[in-house]
Amino acid sequence: MTAAVVPDLGPLDIRQIIQISFLLAASTILFFSSLPSLKTRFVTYGSRATSVSNIEGPNAPRPDHDLPKSHTRSSWSEAVLDGVTDLQVPHGWFLHFYVVSVLCSLFWGFQILARTSLLVVVCENAGAGRTLSMNQLALMWTLMAVQGLRRLAESILLGKSSTSKMWFVHWILGVMFYAAMSIAVWIEGAETLLRSQSPLRDITITAPSIRTMIGLPLFLLASGIQNDCHTYLASLPKYTLPDHPIFHTMVCPHYAAECIIYLSLAILGAPDGAWMNRTVFTALVFVTCNLAVTASTTKEWYMAKFGREKVEYRWRMIPFLF
């Protein structure tokens, strides 16, 4: 078997690179959302980037960022930002995220089962630390594959044709996130994989651990809630205020469910003696920051379109907290 060759990673190992990448992406999103000139151009997308006035009628007052660009550009820097903003892709390309997720899960699943030279090299450069059991690795890989398959099925079966756009960086970031997650769910078990000659034979039937009794029900419950939310939202006419009971409390309960899904994975993938899987936890930080910003813009858009009194009392994403 010919050994694969990878460049020297220097002082960082692969799990640290993934962790830093997730945290850097989260920080960048928060920075962009904190500056109005960047937020309106690069953060909002889909229906949230659609002017309320354009929906209600052409004679209604329009916010500055909806005026022709010749009326809003006051400097060369804004002209450059507007030019970069124009690099957009269809919002329907969200489907690609889940295609990538499923394909990457299958790819790394094969690498693990075949114990390829690529897997060995990645594991050797994964970094030292507490490791996971083979049972944990199998469960983590399976649940991530299930998550990708479910979201892919929802995108195909529930998705509607739309003219909405998103900034191309959103698309690139999403593709990279799911590609990285397909590694993040097992990278902290690298030492276990290196020691194993037959991963399937090393999977044993044992009594569920406390982390499994906590994490697995959380994953299943959150997945079910998210699917119900997506199914309900897909049944609504375009630009309609959700009236399902769960939406009375939160503007984006499906985002809360997404965070719980990654929280459950972080719990399920925790090494012995640890509360969380560090790599998956950094993914949770990214997901939470990204969805929190989107939930905030969604609430702002709802208040502008449907009236502050109908939306203001609803939490954005996390009841009693945010």
Side-chain angles (χ1 to χ4, degrees):
M1 180 169 60
T2 304
V5 178
V6 294
D8 181 12
L9 300 176
L12 296 177
D13 56 55
I14 291 177
R15 77 176 77 181
Q16 289 173 331
I17 291 174
I18 295 174
Q19 292 168 7
I20 292 171
S21 297
F22 284 147
L23 295 178
L24 182 61
S27 301
T28 302
I29 289 171
L30 293 178
F31 173 73
F32 271 52
S33 66
S34 68
L35 301 177
S37 62
L38 297 181
K39 180 180 179 180
T40 56
R41 288 178 171 89
F42 303 125
V43 176
T44 57
Y45 61 87
S47 61
R48 291 165 294 276
T50 304
S51 169
V52 172
S53 60
N54 289 342
I55 298 171
E56 296 177 338
N59 297 323
R62 294 186 293 172
D64 290 343
H65 65 267
D66 288 321
L67 292 172
K69 291 176 183 176
S70 59
H71 291 273
T72 60
R73 289 177 178 168
S74 59
S75 67
W76 66 269
S77 60
E78 290 191 0
V80 170
L81 290 176
D82 287 338
V84 176
T85 306
D86 289 338
L87 301 175
Q88 305 237 333
V89 299
H91 188 257
W93 281 21
F94 256 79
L95 174 71
H96 299 173
F97 300 163
Y98 312 117
V99 172
V100 168
S101 178
V102 172
L103 291 179
C104 286
S105 289
L106 292 174
F107 173 80
W108 287 112
F110 169 78
Q111 301 298 316
I112 291 171
L113 292 178
R115 205 172 185 278
T116 63
S117 57
L118 174 61
L119 177 76
V120 172
V121 170
V122 171
C123 289
E124 288 176 344
N125 288 275
R130 296 169 176 170
T131 190
L132 311 183
S133 69
M134 192 60 71
N135 284 12
Q136 281 180 287
L137 290 171
L139 182 60
M140 293 285 284
W141 179 91
T142 299
L143 293 182
M144 191 64 217
V146 167
Q147 168 72 359
L149 283 169
R150 178 180 64 81
R151 295 296 289 117
L152 178 59
E154 289 175 350
S155 297
I156 294 173
L157 298 176
L158 302 178
K160 297 179 180 179
S161 59
S162 172
T163 58
S164 297
K165 303 283 187 179
M166 61 178 168
W167 191 33
F168 80 103
V169 175
H170 283 281
W171 177 75
I172 293 174
L173 194 61
V175 169
M176 292 178 64
F177 170 77
Y178 282 102
M181 271 306 302
S182 69
I183 302 173
V185 291
W186 58 263
I187 194 65
E188 294 203 25
E191 292 182 23
T192 297
L193 292 173
L194 282 176
R195 291 195 301 264
S196 175
Q197 295 301 313
S198 179
L200 282 179
R201 293 178 184 174
D202 291 340
I203 298 174
T204 58
I205 299 176
T206 59
S209 63
I210 294 177
R211 72 170 68 90
T212 301
M213 290 189 289
I214 295 173
L216 188 55
L218 274 179
F219 179 90
L220 296 175
L221 178 63
S223 297
I225 291 174
Q226 189 178 60
N227 178 256
D228 286 345
C229 290
H230 289 160
T231 302
Y232 170 72
L233 290 172
S235 70
L236 296 176
K238 196 172 185 178
Y239 304 130
T240 302
L241 180 66
D243 195 39
H244 189 282
I246 196 172
F247 285 88
H248 290 173
T249 303
M250 291 173 280
V251 172
C252 299
H254 47 310
Y255 290 173
E258 183 89 354
C259 293
I260 294 173
I261 287 170
Y262 286 95
L263 173 62
S264 69
L265 291 175
I267 294 171
L268 288 166
D272 286 337
W275 287 95
M276 294 279 177
N277 180 302
R278 289 186 180 181
T279 306
V280 178
F281 181 77
T282 58
L284 171 63
V285 172
F286 166 76
V287 169
T288 302
C289 291
N290 183 38
L291 295 183
V293 169
T294 306
S296 294
T297 58
T298 299
K299 184 172 182 177
E300 292 169 5
W301 191 89
Y302 279 171
M303 287 193 295
K305 174 167 172 55
F306 302 109
R308 178 175 293 272
E309 69 283 354
K310 293 184 178 181
V311 184
E312 188 174 26
Y313 68 92
R314 306 187 190 193
W315 296 95
R316 294 174 180 84
M317 190 174 76
I318 305 175
F320 311 109
L321 185 61
F322 177 75

